[in-house]
Amino acid sequence: MTFLSPLVSASSLKPTLKATLKATLAASLAIVLGTLSALPASAEPDLDDLSGTVVATAGGKEIHLPLLKADYRVEVDGDVAHVELTQTFLNPTKLPLNATYLFPLNQKAAIHAMRMDLDGETIVARMKKKEDAKATFEKAKREGKAAALLTQHRPNMFTQDIAHLMPGRPVKVTLEYAQTVPKTDGAYELVMPMVVGPRYEGLGAQAALKHSQNIADKSVPRDDSPGYGDTEYASDEAAFAKPAAFKHSETVSGWQIDKLPAYPEVIGQNAPKEIDPRRVSLELALKAPMPVSRLSSDTHALEVSSQGEMRTVRFKSGRAIDNRDFVLRYELASQSDVAAGVSSRYEADGGGYFSLLIEPPKLPAEDMIGQRELVFVLDTSGSMSGQPIEASKTFMAAAIKSLRPDDYFRILRFSNNTSQFAGNAVLATEQNKRQAVKFVAGLSTGGGTEINHAVNTAFDQAQPENTTRIVVFLTDGYIGDEATVISSVASRIGKARIYAFGVGNSVNRFLLDAMATEGRGYARYVALGEDAGEAAKSLAANLKTPLLTDITIDWNGLKVEGQSPARIPDLFEGGSVRVMGRYAAGGKHTIFINGLVNGHAARLPLEIDLKSSVDGSAVSSRALPLIWAREQIFDKERAYTIGGSIDTQLKQEIVDLGLTYSLQTRFTSFVAVSEKVVNGAPATASHRNVPLPQVAGVSTNAYPSLNLSGSSAPEPEGILGVMLVLLAVVARFRLQLANGFRKLRERVRGFRSRDEEAASGEPDLALPRTLRRDGWWLET
């Protein structure tokens, strides 16, 4: 797999340029290394308390890099979390540095506050338009003032820029954000991303868009060999120091594409060989309205203590290295079966906000399953080598063996190219399943991650009649051009569904969640480790079909604005969906939730009581307006991207929400500037990236050539000559077999229109009472 390289490999430069760069670098190193000496005792920082000295090599010499310590303080109230993340930066040299830290957050995190602490001074950050915030930061940098700038590159990818990080004077930047905790497979799952994985830049935006519209050959593997993504540099110095394209974007075929920031040095490869793994701490308090029946993490060893209704969670080792996402799952001991519930908050100057949580009828999932065509799409790129591909193979072996006799299936593998197990969908006979398991077991990894080509290949093949198509993706999602993939899924999904399974410790959840959302399915994640195999087997054996589809809400006279999501997703067993909005008048109302259960109408009458006065100081109540605004921003950013990034009205609506609610967005940024001049010679500050650890379980093949000496070799190209297995005999008999298993579906019987039901305001009492389950009225 080949990724965008932020640094130029010396071996690829022309001799004259190579000599110039070496001379420039040597001169810079001489200045830096010549001034390095022991700091005075009064200014000597405690490096042991801030993760140890971080060193990169260049031309056989050492360059000291900025240090980082991150502390998470989390307060969870039921299914809402408020997070305070403090990032402490330290410069271990005697020269000023401008630092950049690339880090992830939950893609729907409502970042509503930021402050910077330096030398006893606290500077509260201001929210500005992105370009204005950048200009303010650059002005402070020229003036020698300390400053911090937060920039969003993707909904889950950010950079924190620090101007004039002075020797021995730590700078603390604190972010505050709120996020919801979704219910997944019967338990609440709090996910806190901690490291950005590498991103593959392959065909490029223009080629990918053209490729998605005009695919000449669907079955023959291509020999595409995309090189490292193009990176623009303003000068020779920038090639070694300045992160590429923080402020650049390009318009291709109508798409406004934000260029990804340069990927930093990687701990353990080129910066450095050793590091104190105590970079991150966690202090989490969980308060729930009912007893917590189970609390666990498959990603980190925890120390859990209880005091009354409160659970306190810390890392067992005290501090941890940020090389994997933190995932906490907990279950609440429900005292009754609740199909839906609502919480609300009223603000005197802004009306009310509500959050409606809906769960599906509690029916046996197997009764809802019809005839299916499962299309398995496996990522075999370089970053999947080792543990990820083994977990994928475990998943596939279990999934194939659990297929039902009347299921059809296909298997695709992709890296730089895409090839298939068979030319057509085949029935899940025992012989076909044995051949498929053998095919998967023989797969190997290498090359780039051309997900968009795989998406189109999955949908190019006609599906068997009377089947529901389910496309199952297994990938780490390490690409940079997410917009093209999301757009392809949105345009091609039809009546199919996409289930996205992320394999790894820090996968691209933004991409996989978006694929599942556009694909009317769901996303699940398999963390690597001792239990990865069992997790893969469990997920494979439980490829669910939705229990409740085509969900709408009859507000029955209640005036609601800003419903999010506008299109309510399907509901699966063990899951829930959150609908948020604004209201003007509180009080008691009766609303109706409508949907389909296996094609049969279902209806849930619900009595709600919305607050009409200012009340409540709980985290979940205070966060409602912020989370609603962030949901609105997320939906509008999605529509802006899918629509080609050219809708100026949508862009302005995002900007207005960001400024009104003081929220970080694609077009707004937090900036904090000290009034004090900390560096009297601003030009002496050089730029350095805060290094990132290598993601646990991810092969070195996933990373670009990052060594400053230029000695690292790029990763191998994709596998050449992948064997394409054609099962002609099965393909020939496919239609005959399909006829034998074709089932006639009972048509939905006449049912009163929703308009008539809304007018009456009452559920259809003619429905058999025996089909009234946990509040839902189900049509037979």
Side-chain angles (χ1 to χ4, degrees):
M1 181 184 272
T2 307
F3 291 92
L4 176 65
S5 176
L7 303 171
V8 176
S9 173
S11 61
S12 66
L13 300 174
K14 294 181 180 180
T16 53
L17 178 58
K18 184 175 177 180
T20 302
L21 289 175
K22 282 187 174 180
T24 303
L25 181 59
S28 301
L29 284 172
I31 295 174
V32 175
L33 298 175
T35 57
L36 288 176
S37 60
L39 292 172
S42 60
E44 181 70 37
D46 185 359
L47 300 185
D48 289 336
D49 192 40
L50 286 164
S51 303
T53 301
V54 180
V55 180
T57 59
K61 298 182 180 180
E62 293 183 345
I63 295 180
H64 288 255
L65 300 171
L67 308 181
L68 168 76
K69 181 175 73 172
D71 299 292
Y72 290 84
R73 294 180 60 87
V74 186
E75 186 179 352
V76 182
D77 182 4
D79 63 349
V80 174
H82 186 269
V83 182
E84 186 175 278
L85 168 60
T86 299
Q87 301 165 340
T88 303
F89 299 89
L90 182 69
N91 176 1
T93 77
K94 287 290 293 265
L95 292 179
L97 294 177
N98 296 320
T100 297
Y101 175 44
L102 175 67
F103 67 102
L105 290 177
N106 186 287
Q107 62 187 20
K108 290 189 177 181
I111 309 172
H112 61 89
M114 177 176 127
R115 62 182 181 271
M116 178 176 70
D117 291 283
L118 172 67
D119 295 340
E121 177 189 16
T122 298
I123 303 100
V124 177
R126 296 179 59 191
M127 176 60 67
K128 295 187 176 184
K129 291 182 179 179
K130 190 174 184 178
E131 56 271 22
D132 295 339
K134 179 68 174 177
T136 299
F137 178 79
E138 293 296 335
K139 180 175 182 291
K141 187 190 292 185
R142 291 192 300 270
E143 295 173 350
K145 296 179 179 179
L149 173 69
L150 183 67
T151 304
Q152 174 183 315
H153 301 278
R154 296 290 189 271
N156 63 338
M157 185 190 299
F158 299 79
T159 49
Q160 184 72 260
D161 282 276
I162 306 295
H164 303 295
L165 186 60
M166 303 302 288
R169 297 167 70 179
V171 171
K172 291 185 178 182
V173 178
T174 300
L175 305 177
E176 292 188 40
Y177 63 89
Q179 68 179 71
T180 57
V181 185
K183 191 175 184 181
T184 303
D185 295 334
Y188 293 94
E189 187 171 85
L190 172 66
V191 178
M192 296 173 58
M194 289 193 172
V195 62
V196 174
R199 293 294 188 266
Y200 167 74
E201 293 284 342
L203 293 173
Q206 187 171 11
L209 287 171
K210 181 179 179 181
H211 178 68
S212 66
Q213 300 164 358
N214 183 22
I215 302 172
D217 190 338
K218 281 85 173 179
S219 59
V220 179
R222 301 176 292 112
D223 61 350
D224 296 341
S225 300
Y228 294 113
D230 294 331
T231 305
E232 296 179 5
Y233 297 105
S235 64
D236 291 347
E237 178 186 1
F240 286 91
K242 187 177 182 179
F246 276 154
K247 58 183 178 181
H248 297 295
S249 64
E250 56 187 355
T251 302
V252 181
S253 302
W255 287 82
Q256 183 181 350
I257 307 296
D258 291 339
K259 294 182 180 179
L260 288 177
Y263 201 81
E265 295 80 5
V266 177
I267 297 167
Q269 290 189 31
N270 63 322
K273 293 182 179 180
E274 294 180 357
I275 183 170
D276 185 339
R278 297 176 297 144
R279 283 165 58 112
V280 183
S281 73
L282 173 71
E283 185 83 17
L284 184 148
L286 169 61
K287 183 179 181 181
M290 55 193 68
V292 177
S293 59
R294 188 177 70 87
L295 185 151
S296 64
S297 173
D298 291 333
T299 61
H300 293 75
L302 301 178
E303 177 183 291
V304 181
S305 58
S306 302
Q307 185 174 3
E309 298 179 346
M310 188 76 66
R311 297 284 186 95
T312 302
V313 179
R314 301 180 180 87
F315 291 141
K316 193 171 185 178
S317 58
R319 305 193 70 85
I321 189 168
D322 48 340
N323 64 349
R324 66 182 67 221
D325 296 342
F326 170 67
V327 181
L328 179 73
R329 287 177 62 85
Y330 58 93
E331 296 179 10
L332 303 181
S334 178
Q335 299 175 353
S336 62
D337 291 334
V338 179
V342 66
S343 58
S344 62
R345 179 177 177 84
Y346 189 83
E347 296 192 337
D349 57 346
Y353 301 82
F354 71 85
S355 174
L356 172 65
L357 205 62
I358 309 170
E359 296 190 0
K362 293 176 174 58
L363 295 171
E366 189 66 24
D367 294 346
M368 301 296 105
I369 298 177
Q371 193 173 15
R372 309 176 298 178
E373 181 210 24
L374 290 110
V375 183
F376 298 100
V377 187
L378 281 76
D379 183 349
T380 59
S381 60
S383 65
M384 293 289 290
S385 63
Q387 295 182 56
I389 192 63
E390 293 307 316
S392 294
K393 289 181 178 181
T394 299
F395 174 97
M396 283 301 302
I400 293 169
K401 291 176 182 178
S402 65
L403 291 174
R404 301 182 308 166
D406 62 344
D407 284 334
Y408 287 88
F409 73 96
R410 294 162 54 202
I411 302 175
L412 288 73
R413 43 79 39 213
F414 73 93
S415 55
N416 285 347
N417 50 62
T418 303
S419 59
Q420 302 189 41
F421 164 64
N424 299 298
V426 298
L427 269 169
T429 64
E430 291 303 317
Q431 181 180 354
N432 289 340
K433 287 157 68 171
R434 285 194 298 271
Q435 291 293 329
V437 171
K438 184 177 179 180
F439 171 80
V440 171
L443 294 176
S444 57
T445 57
T449 312
E450 296 295 342
I451 293 183
N452 196 58
H453 182 263
V455 168
N456 283 288
T457 304
F459 286 98
D460 285 338
Q461 189 80 42
Q463 74 185 81
E465 295 182 9
N466 297 327
T467 61
T468 297
R469 170 172 282 176
I470 298 174
V471 183
V472 181
F473 265 87
L474 288 94
T475 179
D476 53 24
Y478 286 162
I479 65 166
D481 189 18
E482 294 99 335
T484 300
V485 175
I486 297 169
S487 179
S488 293
V489 173
S491 65
R492 303 209 61 178
I493 190 62
K495 294 183 178 181
R497 285 178 172 79
I498 284 183
Y499 299 168
F501 289 84
V503 184
N505 289 320
S506 187
V507 300
N508 188 351
R509 289 175 181 258
F510 164 57
L511 173 64
L512 272 64
D513 284 352
M515 291 175 66
T517 299
E518 300 302 327
R520 302 189 308 153
Y522 61 82
R524 297 290 185 269
Y525 299 91
V526 179
L528 303 180
E530 294 180 2
D531 59 347
E534 290 302 316
K537 289 179 184 178
S538 175
L539 291 173
N542 202 18
L543 290 174
K544 303 173 181 178
T545 54
L547 289 182
L548 187 68
T549 66
D550 302 272
I551 304 170
T552 61
I553 300 177
D554 174 8
W555 296 108
N556 194 25
L558 175 64
K559 293 183 179 180
V560 170
E561 296 180 352
Q563 176 185 314
S564 290
R567 183 186 67 178
I568 303 175
D570 294 344
L571 268 171
F572 293 80
E573 181 188 15
S576 63
V577 64
R578 184 188 299 272
V579 179
M580 304 191 73
R582 300 193 62 184
Y583 64 92
K588 293 183 178 181
H589 302 267
T590 300
I591 64 174
F592 299 91
I593 303 168
N594 301 308
L596 296 177
V597 175
N598 200 22
H600 298 262
R603 198 174 197 213
L604 175 69
L606 183 65
E607 296 282 345
I608 61 175
D609 189 0
L610 300 176
K611 293 179 180 177
S612 54
S613 60
V614 179
D615 180 35
S617 59
V619 169
S620 56
S621 176
R622 298 196 312 269
L624 270 181
L626 298 173
I627 294 175
W628 171 83
R630 186 66 186 91
E631 288 285 349
Q632 286 283 298
I633 291 168
F634 190 86
D635 283 353
K636 293 178 187 297
E637 286 184 340
R638 167 196 166 275
Y640 183 80
T641 299
I642 297 297
S645 301
I646 55 176
D647 191 326
T648 55
Q649 180 179 345
L650 266 178
K651 179 178 179 179
Q652 186 59 49
E653 290 174 1
I654 296 169
V655 171
D656 291 344
L657 281 165
L659 295 178
T660 300
Y661 290 86
S662 191
L663 291 176
Q664 184 81 24
T665 75
R666 179 176 179 176
F667 304 116
T668 58
S669 295
F670 274 113
V671 62
V673 177
S674 172
E675 292 301 317
K676 300 177 182 177
V677 174
V678 295
N679 185 7
T684 62
S686 59
H687 187 279
R688 295 288 183 266
N689 290 321
V690 176
L692 300 183
Q694 183 173 329
V695 179
V698 173
S699 166
T700 55
N701 291 342
Y703 291 87
S705 175
L706 291 174
N707 193 293
L708 296 179
S709 66
S711 61
S712 296
E715 96 176 267
E717 295 298 332
I719 307 167
L720 299 177
V722 175
M723 180 180 298
L724 182 62
V725 180
L726 299 175
L727 299 179
V729 176
V730 176
R732 187 177 69 178
F733 288 106
R734 176 178 60 84
L735 293 179
Q736 297 178 26
L737 293 171
N739 290 333
F741 289 99
R742 188 170 302 165
K743 298 179 178 179
L744 295 178
R745 296 286 186 187
E746 178 184 357
R747 299 294 181 184
V748 178
R749 294 189 301 125
F751 193 64
R752 290 193 311 170
S753 69
R754 293 190 180 102
D755 292 338
E756 292 173 340
E757 293 176 332
S760 68
E762 296 291 339
D764 185 359
L765 298 179
L767 289 175
R769 190 168 184 81
T770 55
L771 289 185
R772 186 175 183 179
R773 293 173 180 265
D774 48 282
W776 286 96
W777 292 86
L778 305 174
E779 182 191 36
T780 55

